Amino acid sequence: MECLEFRRRLTAEPGSRDPEFLAHRDGCHAGCTESWWRSQRFERQLRNVLQSVDAPEDLGERVLLTQATSLRGRARHRWQIGLALAASLLVALVVAGYAWNLRTTDGGPLAGMAIAHVRSEAFSLTMTRPIDAAQMRPVFAKRGVALRDVPAHAVFAADCRVGPYRAVHLVLRENGSPITVLYVVGHRIADARDFSRAGWHGREVPIGNGTLVLLGNGSAGFAAAERAVTDAVMGATLQTEQT
Amino acid sequence: MNLRQRQFDALVHAHAGDLYRFAYWLCGDPSRAEDLVQETMLRAWRALDSLQDAAAAKPWLLTILRREHARGFERKALDLTILDDGLKDSIPDETAGADPEQAGSDAELREAIAKLEPKYREPLLMQVLGGFSCEEIAAELGVKPGAVMTQLFRARHKLRKSLSGDAVGRESAHGVS
């Protein structure tokens, strides 16, 4: 290594441990050894000056405080997100539950159509004279149903339309109270259910390939009416449908 | 306290002062320097799992700080002249009670460091305060090692020249420029 290269290196990298560099330092008689010592003194001074800046006394503590605060903030944020998700889930459950409740207590669309139909034929609820088998069978026959038996206590029978569905409209009087029974042919609901809607109590029951809809002021007498109509219809043979 | 938090605490206590000095000489503003340390430490906390070797902690932290400073520098597009003036104005007076000759020399050196252009000051700080080699500085700055050698040579040359009556400065200027 030549002196020029040594001194360039010395100025750029005075702490170099390169063997060639150190060998030149120790072997040169042209003043490079003295230059190296002066350079080391300068480096010491430079280092001292750069390190003479005092950091704020509590800097470390403040850094830790910032970190802890940031951590807690993020934990709080995560907790808030969790809370928001839980609240959303709760709201969804409440809405779903309410909808389910509505569905189960209000009945489905068939219940609404049945109530509308009974309101439009409110006169049927005033009927009190029993009708016989000869009057009833043709009504069912029109809906393709051959009755096995005739429901007791029937005071009204007519073939009607309930919404888009063909139905037999019966009114039975159990203990003096009228119970409307609509036998909706060709539309079978999945499960039986009771409902309350617009002041009416009702029950929907799947039967054969259709559905019975019972309506009354209360549910008393529903069981007997359901049994009577079911016994009359079940076993009946579906025949060619007449409109 | 878990191990990760203990490691971080140790890191803060061991290196916050060095980081502050490095930041101070980089930006010349005590408040900004403290902010840089805070930002650096928060980044370090998030990336703590990548620190595998305790000996690498200081250069690792200084690298984070330097990049944080560079990002802030780009964001604010600071005027370099203003920055340098700010550094000169905020140089602490550590000379009280010291040997008058030495104190005068240190004051001149401090002012000379403050006057250095960032392109010379930054590699010098990385070398003297950070302990980085020329190759490491080159890798960090994205330049060739030869260019770093030149920057370091010029940085020291300027500093030595500024010291009035400094024989080394005269010699260096005479012998190697």
Side-chain angles (χ1 to χ4, degrees):
Chain A
M1 181 177 282
E2 294 177 354
C3 291
L4 184 64
E5 173 58 21
F6 175 84
R7 296 195 185 189
R8 177 180 284 275
R9 183 74 170 272
L10 180 62
T11 308
E13 209 174 7
S16 173
R17 293 287 165 207
D18 178 34
E20 204 180 344
F21 175 79
L22 296 177
H24 182 90
R25 176 196 67 181
D26 296 336
C28 178
H29 300 293
C32 287
T33 305
E34 291 73 21
S35 292
W36 186 86
W37 280 110
R38 279 194 294 273
S39 173
Q40 300 310 304
R41 281 196 294 275
F42 175 76
E43 280 306 301
R44 192 162 47 246
Q45 184 186 6
L46 176 62
R47 194 173 298 110
N48 287 341
V49 166
L50 289 175
Q51 291 182 336
S52 66
V53 175
D54 286 330
E57 211 166 286
D58 53 353
L59 178 62
E61 299 308 317
R62 275 189 274 170
V63 167
L64 290 174
L65 176 64
T66 303
Q67 180 241 2
T69 308
S70 166
L71 277 182
R72 281 209 64 204
R74 279 198 283 174
R76 192 165 53 242
H77 184 59
R78 275 198 295 272
W79 186 80
Q80 284 169 340
I81 289 175
L83 191 65
L85 284 175
S88 303
L89 185 63
L90 187 63
V91 168
L93 286 173
V94 167
V95 168
Y98 181 70
W100 176 255
N101 193 43
L102 268 184
R103 185 170 175 271
T104 52
T105 59
D106 235 21
L110 185 59
M113 289 186 280
I115 290 169
H117 177 73
V118 172
R119 279 181 175 161
S120 70
E121 296 192 354
F123 68 89
S124 64
L125 300 173
T126 64
M127 310 298 275
T128 55
R129 182 189 295 177
I131 57 172
D132 57 22
Q135 292 171 291
M136 194 176 298
R137 286 186 189 280
V139 174
F140 276 88
K142 276 190 175 179
R143 292 298 177 230
V145 178
L147 285 179
R148 192 182 69 173
D149 198 359
V150 176
H153 311 299
V155 295
F156 177 79
D159 55 298
C160 301
R161 277 189 168 271
V162 175
Y165 306 115
R166 299 182 184 92
V168 174
H169 180 174
L170 297 177
V171 176
L172 311 182
R173 278 201 175 269
E174 293 282 348
N175 300 323
S177 297
I179 294 175
T180 298
V181 181
L182 296 166
Y183 177 41
V184 179
V185 180
H187 175 69
R188 180 186 164 92
I189 63 169
D191 299 303
R193 61 192 173 203
D194 288 349
F195 61 87
S196 296
R197 187 158 165 176
W200 294 84
H201 291 276
R203 178 176 296 170
E204 293 173 317
V205 185
I207 172 176
N209 70 333
T211 302
L212 283 184
V213 182
L214 294 91
L215 289 171
N217 293 328
S219 58
F222 275 7
E226 178 188 337
R227 192 166 48 248
V229 177
T230 301
D231 286 349
V233 172
M234 288 302 287
T237 304
L238 189 64
Q239 298 176 350
T240 305
E241 190 174 282
Q242 301 170 15
T243 54
Chain B
M1 188 188 295
N2 62 30
L3 281 176
R4 195 169 190 267
Q5 184 64 51
R6 275 165 64 180
Q7 184 187 11
F8 183 72
D9 283 17
L11 206 61
V12 169
H13 286 121
H15 298 297
D18 288 337
L19 284 180
Y20 177 83
R21 279 182 278 280
F22 187 74
Y24 172 82
W25 284 111
L26 266 186
C27 69
D29 175 1
S31 301
R32 176 68 186 137
E34 187 172 336
D35 288 347
L36 278 172
V37 175
Q38 295 274 13
E39 288 160 18
T40 299
M41 282 303 188
L42 280 181
R43 282 186 184 274
W45 165 255
R46 290 184 204 119
L48 197 57
D49 294 338
S50 66
L51 177 64
Q52 302 295 329
D53 179 9
K58 185 176 170 184
W60 180 65
L61 289 169
L62 291 178
T63 299
I64 296 174
L65 190 146
R66 199 196 69 77
R67 291 178 184 174
E68 195 62 36
H69 172 253
R71 266 192 291 274
F73 199 80
E74 285 164 11
R75 276 198 300 269
K76 292 176 182 172
L78 288 177
D79 183 328
L80 297 184
T81 308
I82 293 172
L83 178 73
D84 288 347
D85 287 348
L87 185 55
K88 274 188 290 180
D89 293 343
S90 63
I91 291 171
D93 181 11
E94 305 289 340
T95 59
D99 168 55
E101 193 175 331
Q102 181 66 36
S105 177
D106 285 354
E108 284 172 359
L109 186 55
R110 264 193 293 275
E111 192 170 338
I113 295 169
K115 279 181 183 170
L116 277 180
E117 292 171 61
K119 68 176 179 179
Y120 297 132
R121 189 167 61 220
E122 191 169 14
L124 184 70
L125 294 175
M126 290 174 79
Q127 187 187 53
V128 179
L129 286 179
F132 287 84
S133 68
C134 283
E135 287 74 20
E136 288 167 336
I137 296 170
E140 182 58 31
L141 297 180
V143 296
K144 292 181 178 173
V148 173
M149 291 282 279
T150 303
Q151 287 170 330
L152 290 169
F153 175 87
R154 289 183 180 162
R156 284 194 174 82
H157 182 65
K158 284 169 182 276
L159 295 180
R160 286 176 165 186
K161 265 176 71 177
S162 68
L163 295 180
S164 56
D166 177 58
V168 177
R170 285 199 303 275
E171 171 196 55
S172 177
H174 174 72
V176 216
S177 64

